[in-house]
Amino acid sequence: MIGVADLVVSYPRAQRNAVDGVSFIAQRGQLTALAGPNGSGKSSIVRALLRRADIASGSVTIDRTDVRTLSHAELARSVAVVPQREETAFPMQVREYVALGRYPHLGLWRTASNVDESAVDDALVQAGVADLADRDTDALSGGEWQRVRIARALAQKAPALVLDEPTTFLDVAHEMAIFELLWSLARSGLAVLLVSHQLNLVARFADTIVLLSEGKVATSGTPADVMKADRLESIYGWPVVITRDPAIGAPSLVPLRRPLNL
């Protein structure tokens, strides 16, 4: 599991902490979502997890081991990450790209074994991109590219998977496909931590939502606990109503138009 305890992250010359005393747990077998307005600290928590942002106080742990005590290779074997934006330096075959996820297990000198090849095959199947294995990465659609990036992360065979806005710029069908995939990966036993602005999709698929505001946890719990109109209006500064998803009954946010000044 991923544990965040009283985490504080600050940046030089910033007027306030980017993350200010945040605590939550992302359990194995569950999909945990970090949500909140721009600048609320979501990506800074991911950077702290990856040791790309200094932890001023508190801790981030994976299976109760502080990430600051892990080597970079140990960290990569413990958590796989799909960052918000990524482009390859040059085109390569999808299978070769996904095989990069085995690097934490191979290091500089060891050649790929049958175990590594099997891990790549499994990742391609899990992410639903086995039919793209021989394609070049620059010939993929946006949705295909996102799934291939997830496949590379799955090839790491880490117990935790972290994704930062994985559905940005995707259409409705690809958004739904990605969220369905992440839900199934969580049910397979991974601890899946997702950063997303898509509150309605998060409410349909997440087990737990951690809603951030100005670097702090504004509220957390099940989608039904978190998706309250008055709370969301206060955090986002916009009038909303909460309805029910007609398919599964999950809470659904509808932003309102402000009255026109006639």
Side-chain angles (χ1 to χ4, degrees):
M1 64 181 182
I2 299 170
V4 176
D6 299 320
L7 178 65
V8 175
V9 176
S10 60
Y11 298 109
R13 295 180 294 280
Q15 294 183 347
R16 63 174 176 82
N17 293 330
V19 181
D20 194 5
V22 167
S23 298
F24 66 88
I25 292 175
Q27 299 277 10
R28 291 197 191 204
Q30 294 193 354
L31 176 55
T32 302
L34 289 178
N38 292 330
S40 59
K42 303 183 298 297
S43 292
S44 290
I45 292 172
V46 175
R47 286 194 284 270
L49 170 65
L50 299 179
R51 292 168 44 192
R52 293 177 183 169
D54 290 336
I55 297 175
S57 63
S59 65
V60 182
T61 60
I62 301 174
D63 286 342
R64 298 184 176 84
T65 299
D66 194 306
V67 296
R68 290 169 291 188
T69 69
L70 298 173
S71 69
H72 290 295
E74 289 171 332
L75 182 60
R77 289 193 292 267
S78 300
V79 59
V81 179
V82 180
Q84 188 173 133
R85 289 177 294 272
E86 181 183 11
E87 296 294 337
T88 57
F90 49 85
M92 63 178 70
Q93 277 195 337
V94 165
R95 174 177 287 279
E96 294 174 347
Y97 176 81
V98 173
L100 294 175
R102 298 304 298 165
Y103 179 78
H105 302 273
L106 294 171
L108 288 173
W109 310 115
R110 189 170 74 80
T111 57
S113 66
N114 290 338
V115 171
D116 300 303
E117 294 293 338
S118 178
V120 171
D121 289 338
D122 289 346
L124 289 165
V125 171
Q126 276 187 293
V129 292
D131 59 325
L132 304 176
D134 296 327
R135 293 261 298 273
D136 287 340
T137 54
D138 64 346
L140 301 175
S141 71
E144 290 169 341
W145 175 232
Q146 289 295 69
R147 280 182 167 268
V148 166
R149 295 173 67 217
I150 293 172
R152 186 193 65 174
L154 293 175
Q156 290 177 229
K157 294 295 184 182
L161 175 64
V162 178
L163 308 99
D164 192 356
E165 297 288 356
T167 60
T168 301
F169 306 126
L170 298 186
D171 60 32
V172 171
H174 285 101
E175 282 183 332
M176 286 295 295
I178 293 295
F179 270 86
E180 292 277 9
L181 171 61
L182 299 182
W183 184 88
S184 67
L185 291 172
R187 291 303 179 268
S188 75
L190 294 183
V192 179
L193 177 62
L194 166 70
V195 175
S196 180
H197 282 291
Q198 301 285 359
L199 272 178
N200 286 338
L201 284 175
V202 163
R204 294 183 80 181
F205 290 95
D207 298 286
T208 300
I209 301 175
V210 181
L211 188 60
L212 302 173
S213 178
E214 297 184 346
K216 301 177 183 291
V217 176
T219 185
S220 65
T222 67
D225 294 333
V226 170
M227 298 284 281
K228 304 292 186 183
D230 56 348
R231 182 177 297 136
L232 295 176
E233 285 185 356
S234 174
I235 292 170
Y236 286 93
W238 197 267
V240 303
V241 295
I242 300 298
T243 62
R244 290 289 167 184
D245 182 319
I248 60 174
S252 181
L253 177 149
V254 179
L256 301 177
R257 292 194 62 180
R258 285 177 170 160
L260 296 176
N261 294 321
L262 300 177

